[in-house]
Amino acid sequence: MAIGNGGTGSGLVVSFGEMLIDFVPSEAGVSLAEASAFLKAPGGAPANVAIAVARLGGRAGFVSKLGDDEFGHMLAAILRENGVSDAGVVFDAGARTALAFVTLRADGEREFMFYRNPSADMLLTAAELNVDLIRNGAIFHYGSISLIAEPCRSAHLKAMELAKEAGALLSYDPNLRLPLWPSPEEARKQILSIWDKADIVKVSGAELEFLTGHDSVEDEVALRLWRPNLKLLLVTLGDKGCKYFTEDFRGIVGSFTVKQVDTTGAGDAFVGALLQGIIEDRSALLDEKKLRQVLRFANACGAITATKKGAIPSLPSASEVMEFLGKA
């Protein structure tokens, strides 16, 4: 699979949504209150996906609003340093860049406490969208956090509409963060409100259970989330791999056994690799053998990312993935 030969001739992935600073305790396995010091780490799932694509040699752009503050300008610089176009990023002088305090439990899983009241990303308006960048995307990727509050919700819906009109594939990773929603019921309702617009949807096992109300990740439960508009539905199951469903075939691709240090960004690495794989050969959506190759590569990206601390520094290059797969 020729991931890594993106160059300027390949399609553009445009990612939409939040970018923020994660403050992570300098020692693992402690609560926020117990932490003696915090390291700042750039984050935000849609931004991580854009950087994951670029790290693999693809072309990526990002659409968001950041605070006109030191953290906001630092994040925009990180996008540029990682080869992501920040032409879709605007700044708000009246609101801060979002912050999240993230606890890494002893098992590498995370707990969050957010500072967004409101943060700049929530204040992006439809009028501030970089229409040209969105229309140039071959894939338009987004989450659900941008659906929580106006005016960002309207901007999100408008950006989806622009991308769809321009012929882009729409990719949706809900990336559920329940503490940010007014209630679980509202989260479920709004996350599902745009389900029938996407071409590609990726959910985790926990998100599948939340959205369906069934305590199971069996195929018949996953298929409750299938819609006629979908070309691909994915359910990621961590170290158990990933299930895939299309109109014509379904299956599971196993994961790789690694020592997990920090799962932050592993799902985003997976999505970035998946999208870059589809950019490089769109027929993977119709050809099960090709799709399984893309998903194996994406699983490897997720596994590598989980072996290191922090999301963006852990996202692998194509050569790292090929080396990992050569040893697997």
Side-chain angles (χ1 to χ4, degrees):
M1 198 176 131
I3 282 192
N5 304 327
T8 51
S10 74
L12 176 71
V13 175
V14 177
S15 196
F16 176 98
E18 70 283 354
M19 190 176 192
L20 59 145
I21 311 267
D22 287 339
F23 283 90
V24 186
S26 51
E27 65 267 53
V30 298
S31 70
L32 293 177
E34 291 165 343
S36 57
F38 293 90
L39 302 167
K40 69 179 193 296
N48 292 343
V49 168
I51 292 172
V53 168
R55 192 75 52 88
L56 291 169
R59 295 173 61 227
F62 186 59
V63 179
S64 189
K65 193 177 219 184
L66 299 169
D68 190 6
D69 51 40
E70 279 205 41
F71 284 154
H73 289 283
M74 179 191 101
L75 292 176
I78 284 166
L79 289 170
R80 293 191 300 271
E81 285 159 15
N82 283 281
V84 174
S85 167
D86 66 343
V89 174
V90 292
F91 293 91
D92 192 305
R96 294 290 189 208
T97 301
L99 307 178
F101 285 81
V102 186
T103 316
L104 268 185
R105 299 200 312 247
D107 62 1
E109 289 299 328
R110 300 155 296 160
E111 290 168 357
F112 296 87
M113 184 166 78
F114 293 93
Y115 284 70
R116 288 162 53 90
N117 53 334
S119 52
D121 59 288
M122 299 162 71
L123 302 176
L124 180 70
T125 66
E128 292 170 315
L129 293 172
N130 184 324
V131 174
D132 289 341
L133 179 68
I134 293 165
R135 284 188 174 142
N136 281 330
I139 295 178
F140 183 70
H141 175 75
Y142 47 89
S144 71
I145 288 172
S146 40
L147 295 174
I148 296 172
E150 290 290 0
C152 184
R153 177 183 165 78
S154 292
H156 179 146
L157 298 175
K158 180 64 178 175
M160 282 170 57
E161 189 185 305
L162 289 167
K164 195 77 164 175
E165 283 170 2
L169 283 172
L170 267 52
S171 162
Y172 184 20
D173 176 359
N175 197 41
L176 177 67
R177 295 285 179 266
L178 266 181
L180 295 178
W181 290 91
S183 68
E185 295 71 32
E186 182 70 4
R188 192 178 290 111
K189 178 184 160 193
Q190 295 300 343
I191 287 169
L192 291 172
S193 72
I194 58 168
W195 211 261
D196 62 354
K197 300 277 194 287
D199 298 293
I200 300 161
V201 170
K202 172 249 163 195
V203 291
S204 68
E207 287 163 348
L208 171 63
E209 292 179 2
F210 172 77
L211 291 170
T212 61
H214 286 262
D215 189 14
S216 160
V217 294
E218 293 306 315
D219 286 8
E220 59 269 22
V221 173
L223 286 167
R224 287 170 178 263
L225 295 180
W226 181 263
R227 300 289 185 278
N229 51 286
L230 287 175
K231 293 180 171 64
L232 177 63
L233 172 64
L234 295 166
V235 182
T236 53
L237 301 169
D239 56 8
K240 295 183 183 67
C242 136
K243 289 186 170 191
Y244 59 88
F245 303 86
T246 74
E247 191 69 58
D248 299 317
F249 49 82
R250 67 172 87 161
I252 186 164
V253 176
S255 191
F256 299 91
T257 307
V258 293
K259 181 170 174 17
Q260 283 193 3
V261 173
D262 177 5
T263 58
T264 309
D268 305 326
F270 172 91
V271 172
L274 165 75
L275 299 183
Q276 183 57 17
I278 291 167
I279 285 276
E280 296 192 356
D281 189 352
R282 196 154 161 172
S283 72
L285 291 168
L286 303 168
D287 181 321
E288 186 169 16
K289 186 177 177 210
K290 286 180 181 176
L291 179 64
R292 289 183 66 87
Q293 277 186 316
V294 170
L295 293 175
R296 184 170 184 265
F297 190 96
N299 279 346
C301 284
I304 293 166
T305 304
T307 63
K308 304 176 199 170
K309 248 190 164 175
I312 290 170
S314 310
L315 298 169
S317 65
S319 57
E320 277 180 83
V321 184
M322 297 316 289
E323 187 183 338
F324 177 87
L325 286 171
K327 294 173 182 169

